[in-house]
């Protein structure tokens, strides 16, 4: 069954303005955090994306009352009647999201038990949850792997812990925060992730009554408290979506104002965007990105945890690099299998080769293993339309950008996946004067 089919007449610059709302990688986590409160919470700047729908469904299953005004972007959550959900319903609802694993701590605090179905998420690597399960055991939970998922209990409640992350995992950091804030005693998390979305979650939890501090060496200290109350919070804007539209402006020779974008969350991206030859103007209401003319310049970029160049920024940027003069190198050090999307770009005329070696930077975790995690892009190469299939969320948006940049007609299959992380992307494309037609 075709999961959404889009016809794109490429070769036209994207010009106009769009608005980006709350970050996909914060909003669902703040929604789960509301479970920890004894009173209602209100989250603003909430985008109408699939991940918000999925997490709303899971929260409702557990008795949380949810009201969402999509026009205003306001989400009300009342967790005063939290109760256990039925396993089969949870499994049906979890869908392709990875967020369910973050329900563990809050449900164990509220109900003493939790069931988490097997997780989804993009096919960009193994996506293990070993860090998460080890963390929950360290807090005192029992973890029982069953056929459909994982059952957790905490008969004597949860207590503070000292946790050392083998890798600064965003999800594992969130798992620790959402569990430690109501655990008995002190928790120390060493080697934590400190992405802007993590710091926004810390703000949410602090508003609820939590006591959290973040040291300069990435150690996070949490003092467990007896009660947390609801919060009022405006979610930070989505820096991944902003970078995606910026790369689209560059790849199509366009000019796009992204209302709502924050410079401070995107410093590293903006530096790279400028080095490639893009221009941007930071304004009070957002950031304008455009192609100033002339050649784009090839460069070497290595993805890393914050404040490095974010792994989710490289797929859209690679499309712009196919139009840059010379050889560019991208070394992906966060996920082992994140260049699958380049196959379709080569079908469209790009010259991209992937390598197992760590190219362009220091050696990383994937260097001595069989992962094609470095890419060399030779440009500029004219792109021509093709029939392509969306591999994952961010790769899929890159296919869209490539189809918009290519001369001729492309048909992009599987675009419903893009709804997961890009709010109203069809109306945004129309607002940017793209010639797109939804065929299915
Ligand atoms: C979050 O994923 C984001 N997703 C990802 O965005 C983002 O790319 C990633 O963080 C890195 O910034 C959400 O927030 C929903 P990780 P997460 O745990 O938390 C390994 C998008 O398209 N690892 O930081 O799952 C893992 O294999 C998505 O918006 C373990 O080994 O990422 C990976 O190599 C894509 N064991 C590395 O850590 C674990 O238990 C980073 O993963 C957990 C992670």
């Amino acid at each position: 069954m075709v999961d959404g089919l889009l016809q794109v007449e490429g070769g036209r610059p994207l010009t106009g303005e769009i608005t980006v709302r709350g970050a996909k990688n914060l909003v669902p986590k703040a929604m789960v955090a509301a479970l920890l409160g004894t009173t209602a919470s209100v989250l603003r700047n909430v985008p109408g994306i699939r991940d918000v729908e999925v997490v709303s469904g899971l929260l409702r299953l557990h008795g949380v009352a949810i009201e969402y005004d999509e026009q205003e972007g306001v989400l009300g959550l009342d967790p005063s009647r939290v109760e256990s959900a039925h396993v089969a319903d949870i499994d049906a609802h979890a869908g392709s999201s990875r967020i369910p694993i973050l329900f563990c701590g809050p449900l164990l605090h509220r109900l003493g038990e939790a069931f988490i179905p097997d997780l989804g998420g993009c096919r960009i690597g193994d996506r293990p949850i070993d860090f998460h399960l080890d963390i929950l055991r360290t807090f005192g939970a029992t973890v029982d792997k069953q056929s459909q998922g994982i059952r957790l209990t905490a008969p004597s409640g949860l207590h503070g812990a000292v946790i050392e992350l083998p890798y600064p995992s965003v999800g594992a950091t969130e798992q620790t925060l959402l569990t430690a804030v109501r655990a008995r005693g002190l928790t120390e998390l060493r080697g934590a992730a400190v992405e802007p979305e993590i710091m926004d979650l810390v703000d949410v939890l602090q508003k609820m009554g939590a006591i959290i501090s973040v040291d300069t060496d990435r150690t996070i200290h949490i003092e467990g408290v007896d009660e947390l109350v609801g919060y009022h919070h405006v979610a930070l804007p989505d820096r991944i979506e902003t970078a995606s539209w910026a790369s689209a402006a560059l790849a199509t020779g366009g000019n796009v104002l992204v209302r709502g974008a924050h410079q401070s969350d995107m410093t590293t991206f903006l530096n790279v965007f400028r080095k490639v030859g893009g221009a941007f103007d930071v304004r009070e209401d957002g950031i304008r990105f455009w192609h100033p003319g002339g050649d784009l310049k090839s460069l070497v970029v290595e993805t890393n945890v914050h404040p490095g160049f974010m792994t989710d920024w490289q797929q859209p940027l690679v499309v712009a690099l196919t139009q840059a003069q010379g050889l560019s190198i991208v070394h992906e050090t966060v996920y082992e299998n994140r260049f699958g999307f380049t196959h379709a770009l080569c079908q469209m005329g790009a010259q991209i080769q992937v390598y197992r070696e760590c190219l362009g930077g220091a050696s990383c975790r994937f260097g001595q293993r069989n992962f094609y995690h470095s890419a060399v892009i030779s440009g500029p190469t004219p792109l021509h339309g093709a029939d392509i299939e969306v591999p994952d969320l961010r790769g899929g948006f890159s296919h869209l950008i490539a189809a918009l940049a290519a001369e001729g007609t492309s048909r992009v299959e599987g675009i419903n996946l893009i709804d997961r992380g890009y709010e109203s992307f069809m109306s945004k494309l129309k607002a940017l004067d793209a010639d797109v037609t939804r065929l299915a």
Side-chain angles (χ1 to χ4, degrees), residues 30-322:
M31 292 167 69
V32 173
L35 265 177
L36 288 160
T38 51
T39 57
S41 294
V42 176
L43 186 56
R44 299 178 190 287
N45 204 24
V46 175
I49 56 176
R50 279 267 318 127
D51 271 13
V52 169
E53 284 169 29
V54 169
V55 175
S56 296
L58 286 170
L59 286 168
R60 285 194 180 100
L61 273 182
H62 286 89
V64 177
I66 305 257
E67 283 177 20
Y68 178 42
D69 177 338
E70 184 162 356
Q71 181 69 29
E72 295 300 317
V74 178
L75 187 80
L77 306 105
D78 180 354
S80 50
R81 288 180 35 74
V82 170
E83 62 205 15
S84 292
H86 302 291
V87 168
D89 298 348
I90 299 173
D91 201 16
H93 258 83
S96 60
S97 169
R98 282 177 62 78
I99 310 298
I101 192 70
L102 298 179
F103 276 66
C104 296
L107 289 177
L108 287 170
H109 282 308
R110 290 294 299 261
L111 306 170
E113 64 171 3
F115 174 80
I116 308 301
D118 288 335
L119 293 184
C122 294
R123 298 188 310 276
I124 54 179
D126 183 26
R127 306 304 292 274
I129 54 169
D130 50 326
F131 298 170
H132 295 254
L133 302 182
D134 292 346
I135 287 164
L136 289 159
R137 290 187 186 101
T138 309
F139 276 108
T142 58
V143 177
D144 174 23
K145 290 193 178 180
Q146 300 180 344
S147 57
Q148 292 164 297
I150 304 159
R151 174 168 296 288
L152 300 100
T153 56
S156 48
L158 299 172
H159 52 74
V162 175
I163 295 158
E164 176 107 31
L165 286 184
Y167 181 83
S169 154
V170 166
T173 301
E174 292 161 340
Q175 182 72 250
T176 305
L177 289 170
L178 291 166
T179 305
V181 287
R182 282 276 286 103
R184 285 190 314 278
L186 303 179
T187 292
E188 183 176 300
L189 172 62
R190 299 175 188 149
V194 289
E195 269 67 4
E197 293 78 18
I198 297 274
M199 301 317 292
D200 215 39
L201 181 62
V202 169
D203 288 353
V204 164
L205 293 168
Q206 188 177 50
K207 288 176 177 178
M208 297 179 78
I211 302 171
I212 305 171
S213 60
V214 182
D215 291 352
T216 50
D217 65 353
R218 288 177 185 275
T219 300
I220 298 182
H221 300 273
I222 304 117
E223 294 180 36
V225 294
D226 294 334
E227 184 188 0
L228 294 173
V229 295
Y231 62 80
H232 281 235
H233 187 74
V234 179
L236 84 169
D238 196 314
R239 61 197 175 113
I240 306 174
E241 180 176 356
T242 301
S244 302
W245 292 111
S247 299
L250 206 52
T252 60
N255 185 321
V256 175
L257 170 62
V258 180
R259 290 188 185 288
H262 278 181
Q263 177 184 10
S264 55
D265 305 335
M266 308 195 60
T267 309
T268 308
F269 176 82
L270 295 173
N271 289 337
V272 169
F273 189 80
R274 176 169 281 155
K275 283 162 67 176
V276 173
F280 63 87
D281 174 31
V282 178
R283 307 165 18 150
E284 279 184 19
D285 62 347
I287 304 174
R288 178 177 291 282
F289 299 94
W290 70 95
H291 187 312
D295 293 341
L296 295 185
K297 305 170 192 68
S298 51
L299 84 175
V300 178
V301 67
E302 181 168 87
T303 68
N304 208 330
V305 296
H306 193 72
F309 191 87
M310 188 178 191
T311 173
D312 301 277
W313 288 334
Q314 60 98 336
Q315 300 81 20
L317 181 77
V318 163
V319 183
L321 294 177
T322 66

Side-chain angles (χ1 to χ4, degrees), residues 16-32:
E17 54 186 72
I18 54 166
T19 297
V20 161
R21 295 207 284 185
K24 169 185 98 65
N25 292 348
L26 176 273
V27 164
K29 289 71 173 284
M31 292 167 69
V32 173

